[in-house]
Amino acid sequence: MATRVTAATVLPVLWLLILLRTGICADDYSAFVYAGCSQGRYSADSQYASGVDSVLTSVANSAPYAPYDNFTAPSDSSVVGLYQCRSDLPASVCSGCVRSAISRLSSLCAWAVGGAVQLRACFVRYGNDSFLGKQDTAVLFKKCGGTPGDAGGVSMRDSALGALVAAAAPAGGGYRAGGSGAVQAMSQCVGDLGAKSCSDCVSAAAAQLKAGCGYATAGEVYLGKCYARFWANGNGGFSSSAGRHGFDLVHVVAAGFFASLAYVSLSLAI
């Protein structure tokens, strides 16, 4: 029997957050960011197992045709799942990223009642905790890095992030891009959010980057239902020499994962 993951079962639930390594470039679309697996397990011969298989199969089959979709298992309506790709990328990138994400889930979250994985260009989640359509601005992962900048760079960063917040709600995917001088920024919402909820989530993400990244020339933050990034010099990622400059910063707020779930964090050696 599967155990429902709800706010009432926070303590029995354990999520694992694995942090992104320094030096991963933005075009490594299947690069790993984080994953979470519920502590509750289901049996291989259960109806819930059939539901999880059905949902993830539907996710894989849909990814070549749309950047977002969600599914409910026909055999067990408590099992739901969704995926979200970066809406500006080609369908082939989305499909490949989602396949990689499902493979990660299979290896990291085998038989887990709920699971989620964020790769560089896509996000996949399944479970029975009624997360569809719900806002979530909890910080799951935040990283600031690059060679230290100056006040001028901070001003450009703030303007670029402000452009994301001010952008009209985009149709068909929740992707936004903006820039100011040498700094570029982008954000992506999960497709189950409405236009206002997406804007609110992007605003919360931008505020986290402005408040937490100081003079960093690159940064990214992942919230429960959206993420945002900024970078300088047109490379879209973190400087591979950031660690050598001693300026790399990894920050995770271990408060709650997707609002109703608890997790712990594990940093990888850089």
Side-chain angles (χ1 to χ4, degrees):
M1 294 290 292
T3 301
R4 178 170 290 276
V5 181
T6 67
T9 59
V10 168
L11 290 179
V13 179
L14 182 65
W15 283 78
L16 175 66
L17 182 69
I18 303 178
L19 306 184
L20 184 69
R21 298 186 66 156
T22 301
I24 292 176
C25 296
D27 58 357
D28 187 0
Y29 294 124
S30 294
F32 184 73
V33 181
Y34 67 77
C37 314
S38 67
Q39 195 172 43
R41 295 292 187 265
Y42 60 86
S43 60
D45 59 351
S46 65
Q47 189 174 13
Y48 196 87
S50 176
V52 172
D53 288 345
S54 174
V55 163
L56 293 181
T57 296
S58 295
V59 164
N61 290 340
S62 178
Y65 305 103
Y68 164 80
D69 211 339
N70 67 80
F71 303 93
T72 300
S75 61
D76 186 340
S77 61
S78 71
V79 186
V80 297
L82 61 75
Y83 72 94
Q84 176 67 63
C85 293
R86 260 182 55 182
S87 305
D88 64 318
L89 296 177
S92 59
V93 172
C94 179
S95 179
C97 186
V98 167
R99 287 197 304 270
S100 295
I102 292 173
S103 177
R104 292 276 193 176
L105 281 174
S106 297
S107 60
L108 294 173
C109 299
W111 316 119
V113 170
V117 64
Q118 175 77 57
L119 303 186
R120 195 70 177 165
C122 66
F123 171 72
V124 176
R125 183 179 181 184
Y126 74 91
N128 64 0
D129 49 325
S130 304
F131 56 85
L132 284 177
K134 292 185 178 180
Q135 176 66 285
D136 188 353
T137 57
V139 178
L140 306 182
F141 168 84
K142 182 163 66 177
K143 181 173 183 176
C144 311
T147 304
D150 54 24
V154 170
S155 178
M156 287 187 285
R157 178 204 68 194
D158 289 353
S159 294
L161 292 172
L164 298 182
V165 177
Y175 174 84
R176 305 178 186 204
S180 177
V183 179
Q184 301 298 312
M186 58 82 63
S187 63
Q188 175 71 58
C189 292
V190 179
D192 62 332
L193 291 185
K196 183 180 185 305
S197 293
C198 177
S199 293
D200 290 345
C201 194
V202 172
S203 180
Q208 284 286 339
L209 291 172
K210 290 178 182 179
C213 283
Y215 289 102
T217 51
E220 56 189 35
V221 62
Y222 291 80
L223 309 186
K225 283 294 179 74
C226 71
Y227 64 85
R229 303 172 183 152
F230 74 89
W231 62 93
N233 303 320
N235 60 13
F238 292 91
S239 168
S240 61
S241 62
R244 292 195 295 273
H245 284 285
F247 192 65
D248 184 64
L249 168 66
V250 174
H251 175 59
V252 177
V253 179
F257 192 23
F258 302 118
S260 65
L261 304 176
Y263 70 92
V264 296
S265 63
L266 171 66
S267 296
L268 296 179
I270 295 175

